[in-house]
C-alpha cells in the first residue's frame, strides 16, 4: 500500500496539492473506463457536462468499491482525520476536441453549502494520461492558504460557480499533468481549473472528495463514513 512520504505530505501542506505516481495498474483503469462507458448518460442536453457522471459511487458496485478503495484511503489518511468520510464522488470528462472549460474555483465554494470541514480534499484519478493538451487540471500552488474566496455564478462552462477571474491573480497558475495510474491529491481550498481538450482522445477523471468523519453531512446521500472518527 503506497503512503505519502513526509516530503509529499509537506508538499501537500505548503502547495495545497501533490501527485502520487504509480498507484493503480493500467489494466485496472481500463476496466474502470469500460465501466464508465456503461454508466455514461447518452449525449446529455447539457453539453458542457457531456460525459460527466454525478453521484458516481452510487452508480455501480465497481464505482462504489473504487471510491472506498484502501489504496486511496492509505494516501489520504494523514491528511483527512479524524476518520474518513466520502463527501461526494463524480466522473469529470472532456470528450475529444471539446472546448469546454471548468472555470477557476475552490471546491469548498460548492461544498460548504452542505457542510463545513477542516480537512476536506479530493483525489483526482485520471483514467487516461492528463496533459495540458487534453485538459489536465491547472492549479495555483499555495492558494489554499488564503482561505475561501468570493465566487460568482457564470452562465457557461463545466464549473459554473467561479472566482471572478479578472480580479484574481492567476499569474502563478501552472498545469498539473498526471499520468493514468497516478493520483492527484488537492485541498478543497486550492484554486483550480481545467481547459478544453484539443486532442482526438477523451480525458476522464474519477474524483472522490473526502472529509473527516467527525463532520456531519456531505453532498446528500453521497455522504458516507468509511472510517469512524474514533
Ligand atoms: O476534472 C476537471 O476537469 C475539473 C473538475 C473540477 O475542478 C471540479 O469538478 O471541481
Amino acid at each position: 500500500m503506497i503512503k505519502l512520504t513526509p516530503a509529499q505530505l509537506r508538499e501537500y501542506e505548503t502547495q495545497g496539492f501533490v501527485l502520487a505516481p504509480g498507484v493503480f495498474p493500467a489494466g485496472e483503469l481500463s476496466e474502470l473506463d469500460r465501466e464508465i462507458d456503461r454508466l455514461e448518460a447518452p449525449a446529455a442536453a447539457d453539453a458542457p457536462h457531456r460525459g460527466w457522471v454525478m453521484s458516481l459511487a452510487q452508480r455501480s458496485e465497481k464505482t462504489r468499491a473504487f471510491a472506498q478503495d484502501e489504496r486511496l484511503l492509505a494516501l489520504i489518511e494523514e491528511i483527512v482525520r479524524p476518520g474518513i468520510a466520502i463527501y461526494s464522488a463524480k466522473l469529470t470528462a472532456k470528450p475529444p476536441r471539446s472546448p469546454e472549460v471548468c472555470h477557476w474555483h475552490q471546491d469548498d465554494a460548492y461544498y460548504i453549502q452542505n457542510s463545513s470541514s477542516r480537512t476536506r480534499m479530493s483525489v483526482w484519478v485520471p483514467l487516461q494520461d492528463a496533459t495540458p493538451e487534453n485538459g489536465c487540471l491547472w492549479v495555483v500552488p499555495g492558494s489554499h492558504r488564503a482561505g475561501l474566496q468570493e465566487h460568482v455564478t457564470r452562465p457557461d462552462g463545466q464549473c459554473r460557480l467561479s472566482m471572478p477571474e479578472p480580479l484574481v491573480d492567476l499569474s502563478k497558475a501552472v498545469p498539473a499533468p498526471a499520468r493514468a495510474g497516478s493520483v492527484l491529491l488537492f485541498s478543497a481550498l486550492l484554486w483550480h481549473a481545467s481547459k478544453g481538450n484539443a486532442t482526438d482522445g477523451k480525458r476522464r477523471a474519477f474524483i472522490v472528495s473526502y472529509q473527516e468523519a467527525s463532520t456531519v453531512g456531505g453532498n446528500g446521500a453521497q455522504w458516507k463514513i468509511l472510517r469512524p472518527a474514533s
Side-chain angles (χ1 to χ4, degrees), residues 52 90 92-94 102-103 105 107 110-111 124 135-137 158-159 186 192-195 203 205 207:
W52 285 44
K90 67 182 173 228
T92 62
K94 308 260 185 202
C102 172
H103 298 300
H105 68 282
D107 287 340
Y110 294 81
Y111 296 176
W124 194 91
C136 71
L137 279 196
Q158 296 178 310
C159 309
F186 64 94
H192 65 283
S194 62
K195 302 185 183 183
R203 191 240 73 190
I207 306 178

Side-chain angles (χ1 to χ4, degrees), residues 2-4 8 18-23 75 179 181-185:
I2 300 175
K3 288 172 176 286
L4 292 189
Q8 284 175 315
V18 68
L19 184 70
V23 180
L75 282 175
R179 305 291 298 263
S182 65
V183 177
L184 184 68
L185 293 80

Side-chain angles (χ1 to χ4, degrees), residues 34-72:
R34 282 195 297 276
E35 177 72 350
I36 301 297
D37 287 341
R38 199 177 70 76
L39 298 175
E40 193 187 14
D46 182 10
H49 296 104
R50 209 151 36 100
W52 285 44
V53 185
M54 307 307 282
S55 299
L56 186 55
Q58 269 108 338
R59 300 296 301 279
S60 81
E61 182 49 36
K62 280 200 176 77
T63 55
R64 185 200 61 77
F66 192 80
Q68 301 183 190
D69 195 293
E70 283 297 326
R71 288 166 292 182
L72 292 174

Side-chain angles (χ1 to χ4, degrees), residues 117-162:
S117 160
R118 282 180 307 100
T119 67
R120 198 146 49 204
M121 52 82 66
S122 296
V123 295
W124 194 91
V125 184
L127 302 188
Q128 295 81 30
D129 290 351
T131 64
E133 291 73 35
N134 73 2
C136 71
L137 279 196
W138 284 70
V139 300
V140 176
S143 54
H144 65 304
R145 291 196 301 253
L148 189 58
Q149 307 292 309
E150 180 204 344
H151 284 63
V152 294
T153 303
R154 293 179 62 150
D156 61 314
Q158 296 178 310
C159 309
R160 303 262 161 101
L161 203 52
S162 143

